[in-house]
Amino acid sequence: MLLARVPCVSSRLYRASSGEPGAGSRERAGQAGVQLSARRAWLSAMGVAEQLLRSVIMGSPGSGKHTLSLRIARHFELKKLSSGELLRDNILRDTKTGVLARPFMKQGELIPDDIMTPLTLQELKNLAPYSWLLCGFPRTLPQAEALERAYQTHLVLHLNVPFEAIMQRLSARWVHPASGRVYNLEFNPPKVVGVDDLTGEPLIKREDDRPEILIKRLKAYEDQTKPVLEYYQEKGVLETFSGTETNKLWPYIHACLQTKVPHAHWKHWFFHEEKCS
């Protein structure tokens, strides 16, 4: 069966406005829908099928990757693979990979490529029949190159969020360690302070959210991922979204994905039904 490459516009930059999404956002979404309909008609006329989407979401710690990747996976029925969740699961299960990764995570250091790359690529083998979204991987150029040797990356969503906004956001973040559920005292608080909504178990501050560790993580992210962004920009698959609030970035991300995700994966969507975390 022939597969049609999903076209992607190179290095487009989206800036979230300070106001609520309104007619302009709806108009952009409508235009994206018209473009997608035209592409569907072309594919049908050519007698070819749309290929699975291989996508990545990138952003510094606290940029909103987790919240947005959950929304994307739900609205477009993509399989989400989070490197952080994958690592924490291995640490909790005390696997060989978890034992190797634990000291790096505790100190807020980047997990070495020889640990992270085989772990992720092995997990992706289970997702071969699906469209997927990687969250938190790749973080280095060797990781990106290893991923590209195994799979063709069609789309990279880059979240450009100011350092000050991230520091403020993570200072109010609490997590339920067993499930990974994330709360924020400012915009997504638990029903009872310090307690998980579903289990009643205590919430904790992640060790890598401590200010001194966070500053180190942000600096490491900036240094390590700049070459990755340049790599994907050269390939013409990078889309950058700039802003400070997840809810205001979401309409632009959603409109972009409407032109990229195979329509069989679509679900009904709304702009603001979820809380940000």
Side-chain angles (χ1 to χ4, degrees), residues 3-11 39 50-56 78 130-134 147-148 151-157 232 235-239 256-257 259-262:
L3 298 178
R5 170 73 191 275
V6 179
C8 186
V9 179
S10 172
S11 309
R39 188 187 65 176
E50 292 174 296
Q51 72 179 81
L52 298 173
L53 183 74
R54 309 307 194 189
S55 57
V56 173
L78 304 183
Y130 307 102
S131 290
W132 44 248
L133 174 70
L134 287 178
L147 176 63
E148 198 69 18
Y151 303 95
Q152 181 184 10
T153 305
H154 304 127
L155 174 65
V156 177
L157 305 168
Y232 284 128
K235 287 187 170 295
V237 297
L238 182 68
E239 304 277 358
C256 174
L257 283 164
T259 69
K260 310 274 190 279
V261 178

Side-chain angles (χ1 to χ4, degrees), residues 133-174:
L133 174 70
L134 287 178
C135 179
F137 182 95
R139 289 278 295 270
T140 68
L141 184 56
Q143 289 178 9
E145 292 171 338
L147 176 63
E148 198 69 18
R149 287 193 293 271
Y151 303 95
Q152 181 184 10
T153 305
H154 304 127
L155 174 65
V156 177
L157 305 168
H158 171 223
L159 309 179
N160 181 30
V161 180
F163 176 83
E164 295 77 10
I166 290 173
M167 291 294 291
Q168 181 178 358
R169 182 180 297 176
L170 294 189
S171 67
R173 181 164 79 171
W174 291 80

Side-chain angles (χ1 to χ4, degrees), residues 56-66 68 83 110 134-139 156-161 166 169-170 217-218 220-222 225 228-229 238-241 249:
V56 173
I57 185 167
M58 296 183 63
S60 59
S63 62
K65 292 192 304 296
H66 176 72
L68 287 165
S83 61
L110 194 69
L134 287 178
C135 179
F137 182 95
R139 289 278 295 270
V156 177
L157 305 168
H158 171 223
L159 309 179
N160 181 30
V161 180
I166 290 173
R169 182 180 297 176
L170 294 189
R217 290 175 67 203
L218 291 172
Y221 176 85
E222 182 179 11
T225 58
V228 181
L229 295 174
L238 182 68
E239 304 277 358
T240 295
F241 302 84
L249 289 175

Side-chain angles (χ1 to χ4, degrees), residues 193-241:
V193 176
V195 175
D196 179 56
D197 288 350
L198 299 184
T199 66
E201 295 172 346
L203 303 176
I204 66 168
K205 292 289 287 183
R206 280 176 24 184
E207 289 190 29
D208 52 3
D209 277 352
R210 299 199 309 268
E212 65 276 14
I213 297 296
L214 179 57
I215 292 172
K216 187 176 182 179
R217 290 175 67 203
L218 291 172
K219 183 64 170 64
Y221 176 85
E222 182 179 11
D223 292 342
Q224 294 286 342
T225 58
K226 183 178 179 181
V228 181
L229 295 174
E230 293 173 348
Y231 175 77
Y232 284 128
Q233 182 173 350
E234 290 176 1
K235 287 187 170 295
V237 297
L238 182 68
E239 304 277 358
T240 295
F241 302 84

Side-chain angles (χ1 to χ4, degrees), residues 99-138:
V99 171
L100 293 172
R102 182 180 290 114
F104 295 99
M105 291 195 71
K106 188 173 182 179
Q107 296 301 318
E109 297 178 0
L110 194 69
I111 307 299
D113 294 340
D114 59 358
I115 297 176
M116 200 65 240
T117 299
L119 175 65
T120 305
L121 294 182
Q122 180 62 38
E123 194 69 20
L124 283 177
K125 290 181 180 180
N126 299 325
L127 303 181
Y130 307 102
S131 290
W132 44 248
L133 174 70
L134 287 178
C135 179
F137 182 95

